[in-house]
Amino acid sequence: NKSRTGDMKRRLELNNIYLEVNNAKMNRKTMAIHLSEDDIVIVKAPKGISDKIVMDFVHSKKDWIYERYIRRQQEEATKIKFCQGSKIAFAGDYLSISLVVKESIRGKQLVKYNPISKELTIFSKNINLQEEELIREVVRRWYIQEARTAIEEKAKYYANIFGVTYEKISIKEQKSVWGSCSGKRNLNFNFKLIMMPEEILDYVVIHELAHLLEMNHSPRFWIRVESLCPNYRYYKDWLKVEGYKYKF
């Protein structure tokens, strides 16, 4: 089948899963492939190339496409629900959200964390238990606050051991970048680190501080990291395998 623009549309079978293939031909020399948000296999190919060559290319990438598709299904299955009683990750464990209407609080919302009952209670004057986006934003602000407190404490501690100084720390919301160090000696961290086990947070902080001594990933850099984090290889691999699961 062809669309009105002349682009080819086919179906790809992957272990009894059928995905649409959309081939957009354009002025380019090579072929590229990706899986769209709505699970359509998008192929960008040079104009004039045959549909058979395009589909041969798609079939050569079947394992990669299937892996991406399955990962996306897993991500959707683990997507956080922000409602009464739902579970959210925190420091390698899970907390239960409790929503309480309370007229006497100051401000619009008040958040309290109980480490014993593992509950995150959100008090609000007029909270609507169905307003998932509102609850999500309250939790997001709490995560950022907790991440800043933990990261600033750890950065100060490990920087003292390394004998380095930094300018400022920024806590950001990013998809898959866990930390970075700029040439101006500013440190940036993903707030989702606060959702992960503490040793992962330690590793990322040490990693970025080590860049203040070695602005590269040379053997000397990894020696610096290893001096404070002997198991860094495990944590590095853990982030590659498990990091994507920490969605927000």
Side-chain angles (χ1 to χ4, degrees):
N1 296 329
K2 288 194 176 183
S3 67
R4 291 179 181 176
T5 61
D7 291 345
M8 178 197 72
K9 288 188 178 181
R10 298 278 182 87
R11 285 208 308 169
L12 175 68
E13 189 272 326
L14 297 171
N15 298 333
N16 294 320
I17 298 167
Y18 292 88
L19 300 178
E20 180 183 324
V21 177
N22 188 345
N23 172 25
K25 293 184 179 180
M26 54 187 65
N27 291 323
R28 57 181 296 138
K29 294 182 178 180
T30 59
M31 287 191 287
I33 191 168
H34 78 273
L35 189 64
S36 71
E37 291 294 326
D38 50 355
D39 294 331
I40 295 175
V41 179
I42 307 293
V43 183
K44 295 179 180 178
K47 287 182 178 179
I49 200 166
S50 72
D51 291 348
K52 181 182 183 304
I53 291 176
V54 171
M55 287 308 295
D56 286 345
F57 176 69
V58 171
H59 282 283
S60 74
K61 300 292 183 181
K62 282 178 72 170
D63 290 345
W64 179 88
I65 296 168
Y66 184 70
E67 181 184 328
R68 287 298 177 98
Y69 175 81
I70 293 300
R71 174 174 284 197
R72 184 166 293 164
Q73 301 309 304
Q74 291 172 340
E75 289 174 357
E76 284 299 314
T78 57
K79 198 172 181 180
I80 303 173
K81 302 286 186 184
F82 294 93
C83 57
Q84 183 77 273
S86 62
K87 302 288 186 181
I88 59 171
F90 180 68
D93 205 345
Y94 286 91
L95 308 180
S96 178
I97 293 178
S98 177
L99 306 173
V100 178
V101 176
K102 192 172 183 179
E103 293 290 337
S104 60
I105 64 168
R106 291 181 180 180
K108 293 182 179 179
Q109 291 95 26
L110 173 67
V111 180
K112 286 192 175 181
Y113 162 52
N114 187 325
I116 298 173
S117 63
K118 296 182 181 178
E119 265 191 335
L120 187 72
T121 304
I122 301 173
F123 298 94
S124 179
K125 290 181 178 179
N126 56 355
I127 197 164
N128 182 340
L129 301 188
Q130 305 304 314
E131 288 187 59
E132 191 170 341
E133 278 305 307
L134 170 62
I135 300 165
R136 181 186 186 278
E137 178 56 24
V138 173
V139 173
R140 189 184 74 86
R141 290 200 302 265
W142 180 77
Y143 270 147
I144 290 173
Q145 176 185 310
E146 292 296 311
R148 177 171 294 282
T149 299
I151 289 170
E152 287 183 346
E153 181 180 324
K154 290 179 183 296
K156 183 178 179 181
Y157 174 76
Y158 289 119
N160 185 53
I161 298 174
F162 269 145
V164 297
T165 58
Y166 49 86
E167 290 300 316
K168 68 175 182 177
I169 289 176
S170 297
I171 308 300
K172 300 184 176 184
E173 181 173 2
Q174 296 169 292
K175 190 172 183 180
S176 59
V177 176
W178 305 116
S180 62
C181 174
S182 76
K184 294 182 179 180
R185 306 181 74 81
N186 294 323
L187 305 176
N188 304 302
F189 296 96
N190 193 324
F191 83 79
K192 287 183 284 187
L193 288 167
I194 200 66
M195 304 165 75
M196 303 177 188
E198 188 175 4
E199 56 267 28
I200 301 298
L201 178 55
D202 281 281
Y203 159 67
V204 176
V205 171
I206 291 167
H207 182 118
E208 300 312 327
L209 286 171
H211 278 309
L212 296 173
L213 295 167
E214 304 286 342
M215 284 297 279
N216 49 54
H217 288 105
S218 65
R220 287 178 60 181
F221 167 80
W222 291 113
I223 289 171
R224 300 278 194 184
V225 173
E226 189 173 30
S227 69
L228 294 186
C229 187
N231 293 326
Y232 80 85
R233 291 180 182 83
Y234 171 80
Y235 303 136
K236 182 182 175 186
D237 291 341
W238 187 95
L239 277 170
K240 289 179 181 177
V241 176
E242 303 291 333
Y244 81 93
K245 296 179 182 177
Y246 289 81
K247 294 291 178 182
F248 187 80

